[in-house]
Amino acid sequence: MLIIAEIGLNHNGDMNMAKCLIEEAKDAGADVAKFQFFDASKYFSPDFEWFEACMKARLSLDQASGLKKHCDNVGIEFLVSAFDVQGVEWAEKLGVKRHKIASRCIKQKDLVDAMCKTGKDIIASLGMWDKPEFPEINTNAKVDFLYCVAKYPTMPEDLEFDKVDFRKYAGFSDHTIGIDAACIAIARGARVIEKHFTLSKKLYGPDHSGSMEVHELRQIVKRSKEYKKILDSKG
């Protein structure tokens, strides 16, 4: 089971907060602390509601290097979603173990090709993939596809777990409020759970309100271990 605490932009540009989130994610039992190399100016105009907040949370390579070192010191994997080829190059400079394709980027051929050329494993969210078959990703490395609904937040009625085969999907990138959907996915066979993580849902920013807090991350980790015992039981 791989539990990814998606810190993303929830550090609000404050590296002390980012380091605190890393420490809390590790303490709660997450396997991965994930960030983003995301430049909002490439996707949104300045009149976008969260434009300034996103730009404030944009990581430099130096900042990301400090966060990678902190993850290493704490003992949790550092992962990053790169939204352009430069982000892939930065991730490689930092020595990431694997790469992550965000839902928004699944059709960016140059980005996907750059990740494939590294020869490293890839995790890909399919929230914006609109075909019944999985995308072809030209690599000999392992590719884990995550079921995802690209609505922020995702309403329970928008999930289609009855149609999702977690023998094909490696896991679930969860944008729902609360942890019920993540726990149901685990019970149905998901091996990877990715969910936004924050110190408080009340903080200012685009993702805080729909993120899990520390106590919820602890619950997901606890339940994943309990479910594994049940599912692995020989009866």
Side-chain angles (χ1 to χ4, degrees):
M1 191 72 209
L2 189 75
I3 305 293
I4 301 173
E6 163 70 278
I7 295 169
L9 307 178
N10 280 350
H11 52 79
N12 290 359
D14 182 336
M15 293 303 100
N16 287 328
M17 183 187 294
K19 291 177 180 178
C20 182
L21 281 159
I22 289 168
E23 293 163 8
E24 292 288 357
K26 170 63 177 180
D27 188 60
D31 303 289
V32 178
K34 189 170 87 67
F35 293 86
Q36 296 178 9
F37 286 146
F38 178 68
D39 183 349
S41 66
K42 295 182 179 180
Y43 294 91
F44 304 112
S45 63
D47 60 356
F48 170 58
E49 177 185 5
W50 297 109
F51 185 81
E52 290 186 12
C54 289
M55 293 300 290
K56 184 179 180 181
R58 181 174 55 172
L59 288 175
S60 68
L61 180 56
D62 283 345
Q63 287 173 325
S65 178
L67 297 179
K68 170 64 164 60
K69 290 176 182 176
H70 196 66
C71 284
D72 291 344
N73 290 337
V74 168
I76 190 171
E77 180 184 340
F78 173 91
L79 181 63
V80 62
S81 292
F83 284 73
D84 54 32
V85 173
Q86 182 188 64
V88 178
E89 294 170 353
W90 282 10
E92 282 297 288
K93 286 181 180 179
L94 296 174
V96 296
K97 178 180 178 180
R98 59 188 127 201
H99 290 279
K100 173 68 201 300
I101 304 174
S103 289
R104 183 183 294 275
C105 302
I106 193 63
K107 295 181 180 179
Q108 290 180 217
K109 188 177 185 303
D110 61 339
L111 173 72
V112 176
D113 286 348
M115 290 185 182
C116 290
K117 287 178 182 177
T118 69
K120 293 180 179 177
D121 293 349
I122 294 172
I123 299 174
S125 290
L126 298 184
M128 292 188 177
W129 184 250
D130 54 3
K131 298 179 181 179
E133 69 279 4
F134 287 162
E136 292 186 14
I137 296 182
N138 187 24
T139 178
N140 291 323
K142 182 182 179 184
V143 179
D144 284 326
F145 293 108
L146 304 185
Y147 175 68
C148 178
V149 178
K151 293 183 180 180
Y152 308 89
T154 299
M155 296 295 105
E157 57 268 25
D158 292 322
L159 294 174
E160 296 183 322
F161 278 173
D162 59 321
K163 300 177 183 178
V164 177
D165 186 348
F166 283 112
R167 291 170 297 181
K168 296 179 180 179
Y169 286 95
F172 177 43
S173 182
D174 182 17
H175 297 128
T176 65
I177 304 294
I179 64 171
D180 287 346
C183 292
I184 290 170
I186 294 169
R188 295 202 56 181
R191 295 174 283 107
V192 180
I193 293 293
E194 175 187 64
K195 190 169 178 66
H196 282 280
F197 179 57
T198 182
L199 297 177
S200 171
K201 299 175 195 283
K202 296 179 181 179
L203 287 169
Y204 180 80
D207 298 323
H208 290 289
S209 63
S211 299
M212 61 181 171
E213 294 179 344
V214 177
H215 70 281
E216 292 173 305
L217 174 54
R218 289 186 189 279
Q219 280 296 309
I220 289 177
V221 172
K222 180 175 181 287
R223 292 191 194 181
S224 70
K225 292 176 180 178
E226 292 172 348
Y227 293 174
K228 186 176 187 303
K229 288 180 181 179
I230 295 170
L231 293 171
D232 289 348
S233 175
K234 302 299 182 181

